[in-house]
């Protein structure tokens, strides 16, 4: 199902990095990072939805240091982000991570209009990003997956590189490594991604490696707090932590399934669904209404699912038909709420807006960004 009110924004280059602008709570904005093989052509796009006029305003910043694999926004400074990117050093390709500051909006130097699929976009070319600092990750490994800000502290950044997670203090003139955690094991295990756990006073950091998901207690010398061993039969691509209900997480993997876990009993998932025909690249809880979960996949589809029965607002039940709503009792039921087929390539990223709980964006590798909304019938069932 494709929403007629969706807005499509086409980038010039391939892309896989997408993130909401966390420190902006009034306007619907997303960061997008490109992956041009010509490193000097890469860009950061700041895309803002103008819902009244059904188009997007964009600010484009050159990121000439290399192709962007991930972007992470500061939770306190709307103009600060981190990127992980490929670049050339000493005639070899390496992964690096850096923090950047956006130039002020008034420095824009030209405006034009771009069109794709009938959706308009106002486009502004901008001055370059200001590099605040580089994070010294190369001595710890070659492959930086993410560098993510602490959920509430803009001076703390955790980098995930090979089998290490590195906590940097970036509040000083130069970044300082203040903590390091390491995954030990046979065959040189490597992390796929990592995220802060906003529960437990943000004292845990969660990682995915191979088929497993682990949490590390930063108060206890980065000792393992819990582990879901064999969460998926194949590689775990992504996971998300329920923002409103501690102990619950969702995961997606190369087995095409999405699973929901209570980490206090990690032997079996609470719910396991297979709504995709290929790898699940991203899974995201809605920040406000955690019964709503988005997943994206290499099957070029986006799926909006209800897990109301295990949410902080349990107004659904297990085993319900996969309809938009449970018509018998008027409540939101577990199951598929909507599918979106507006992409033609692997959908690597999907993110909810911070400013509007009903708006979300998805990004496919061909550089197509699609902004959609939760169907009105679902929204009313939650609110009424």
């Amino acid at each position: 199902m494709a929403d007629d009110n969706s807005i499509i924004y086409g980038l010039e280059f391939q892309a896989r990095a997408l993130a909401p602008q966390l420190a902006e709570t009034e306007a619907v904005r997303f960061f997008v990072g490109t992956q041009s093989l010509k490193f000097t052509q890469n860009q950061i796009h700041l895309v803002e939805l103008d819902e009244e006029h059904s188009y997007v305003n964009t600010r484009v910043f050159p990121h000439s240091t290399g192709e962007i694999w991930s972007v992470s926004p500061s939770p306190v400074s709307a103009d600060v982000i981190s990127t992980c990117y490929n670049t050339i050093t000493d005639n070899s390709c390496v992964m690096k991570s850096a923090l950047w500051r956006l130039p002020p909006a008034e420095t824009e130097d030209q405006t034009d209009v771009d069109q794709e699929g009938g959706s308009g976009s106002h486009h502004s070319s901008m001055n370059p990003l200001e590099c605040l600092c580089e994070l010294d990750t190369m001595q710890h490994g070659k492959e930086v997956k993410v560098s993510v800000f602490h959920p509430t502290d803009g001076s703390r950044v955790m980098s995930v590189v090979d089998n290490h997670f590195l906590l940097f203090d970036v509040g000083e003139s130069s970044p300082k490594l203040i903590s390091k955690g390491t995954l030990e094991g046979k065959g040189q295990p490597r992390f796929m991604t990592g995220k802060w756990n906003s529960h437990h006073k943000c004292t845990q950091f969660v990682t995915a490696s191979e088929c497993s998901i682990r949490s590390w207690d930063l108060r206890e010398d980065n000792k393992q707090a819990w582990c879901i061993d064999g969460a998926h039969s194949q590689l775990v691509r992504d996971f998300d932590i329920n923002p409103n209900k501690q102990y619950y997480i969702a995961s997606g993997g190369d087995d095409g399934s999405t699973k929901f876990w209570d980490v206090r009993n990690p032997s079996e998932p609470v719910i396991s669904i297979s709504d995709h025909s290929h790898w699940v690249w991203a899974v995201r809880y809605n920040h406000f209404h955690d019964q709503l979960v988005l997943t994206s996949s290499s099957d070029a589809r986006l799926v909006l699912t209800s897990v109301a029965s295990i949410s902080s607002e349990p107004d659904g039940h297990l085993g319900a038909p996969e309809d938009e709503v449970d018509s018998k009792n008027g409540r939101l039921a577990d199951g598929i709420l909507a599918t979106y087929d507006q992409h033609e390539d692997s959908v690597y990223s999907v993110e909810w807006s911070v400013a509007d709980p009903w708006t979300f964006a998805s990004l496919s590798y061909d550089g197509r960004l699609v902004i959609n909304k939760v169907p009105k019938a679902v929204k009313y069932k939650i609110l009424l």
Side-chain angles (χ1 to χ4, degrees), residues 192 208-213 228-238 251-259 261 276-280:
M192 287 300 299
S209 58
E210 298 177 342
C211 300
S212 300
I213 304 171
I228 306 175
D229 195 20
H232 290 261
S233 60
Q234 300 179 46
L235 195 66
V236 177
R237 289 284 173 183
D238 195 27
S251 62
D254 283 4
D255 55 7
S257 66
T258 306
K259 298 183 180 182
W261 306 87
H276 291 283
S277 59
H278 209 261
W279 302 349
V280 176

Side-chain angles (χ1 to χ4, degrees), residues 82-98:
S82 73
T83 62
C84 297
Y85 54 93
N86 269 356
T87 191
I88 298 294
T89 301
D90 297 328
N91 295 321
S92 62
C93 187
V94 297
M95 288 286 293
K96 288 188 174 183
S97 185

Side-chain angles (χ1 to χ4, degrees), residues 217-263:
D217 194 333
L218 307 181
R219 300 166 299 180
E220 299 290 336
D221 297 323
N222 298 322
K223 292 181 180 179
Q224 184 173 292
W226 51 259
C227 177
I228 306 175
D229 195 20
H232 290 261
S233 60
Q234 300 179 46
L235 195 66
V236 177
R237 289 284 173 183
D238 195 27
F239 65 87
D240 200 20
I241 300 163
N242 188 316
N244 304 327
K245 190 175 182 181
Q246 64 177 341
Y247 305 119
Y248 281 80
I249 72 169
S251 62
D254 283 4
D255 55 7
S257 66
T258 306
K259 298 183 180 182
F260 298 85
W261 306 87
D262 181 341
V263 300

Side-chain angles (χ1 to χ4, degrees), residues 113-167:
V113 177
D114 180 37
Q115 298 277 344
E116 182 187 336
S119 297
S121 63
H122 286 197
H123 172 91
S124 302
S125 295
M126 305 300 298
N127 286 347
L129 300 163
E130 174 192 355
C131 184
L132 299 177
C133 63
E134 285 190 6
L135 301 178
D136 185 10
T137 61
M138 293 187 63
Q139 61 178 302
H140 302 282
K142 298 180 179 179
E143 199 168 329
V144 189
K145 291 294 187 180
V146 291
S147 290
V148 287
F149 284 89
H150 183 281
T152 59
D153 186 351
S155 68
R156 296 286 190 269
V157 174
M158 189 78 82
S159 290
V160 176
V161 51
D162 285 359
N163 64 325
H164 306 293
F165 52 95
L166 314 170
L167 180 59

Side-chain angles (χ1 to χ4, degrees), residues 13-15 33-45 60-68 85-86 129:
F13 305 113
Q14 295 173 324
T34 66
Q35 284 199 318
S36 170
L37 293 177
K38 294 182 178 180
F39 287 171
T40 58
Q41 294 181 340
N42 281 293
Q43 304 165 334
I44 288 287
H45 293 238
V60 183
F61 312 96
H63 188 280
S64 57
T65 50
E67 57 175 351
I68 304 163
Y85 54 93
N86 269 356
L129 300 163

Side-chain angles (χ1 to χ4, degrees), residues 98-124:
L99 269 60
W100 311 86
R101 187 185 304 279
L102 280 60
E106 59 267 24
T107 62
E108 60 188 66
D109 53 26
Q110 69 181 38
T111 302
D112 55 26
V113 177
D114 180 37
Q115 298 277 344
E116 182 187 336
S119 297
S121 63
H122 286 197
H123 172 91
S124 302

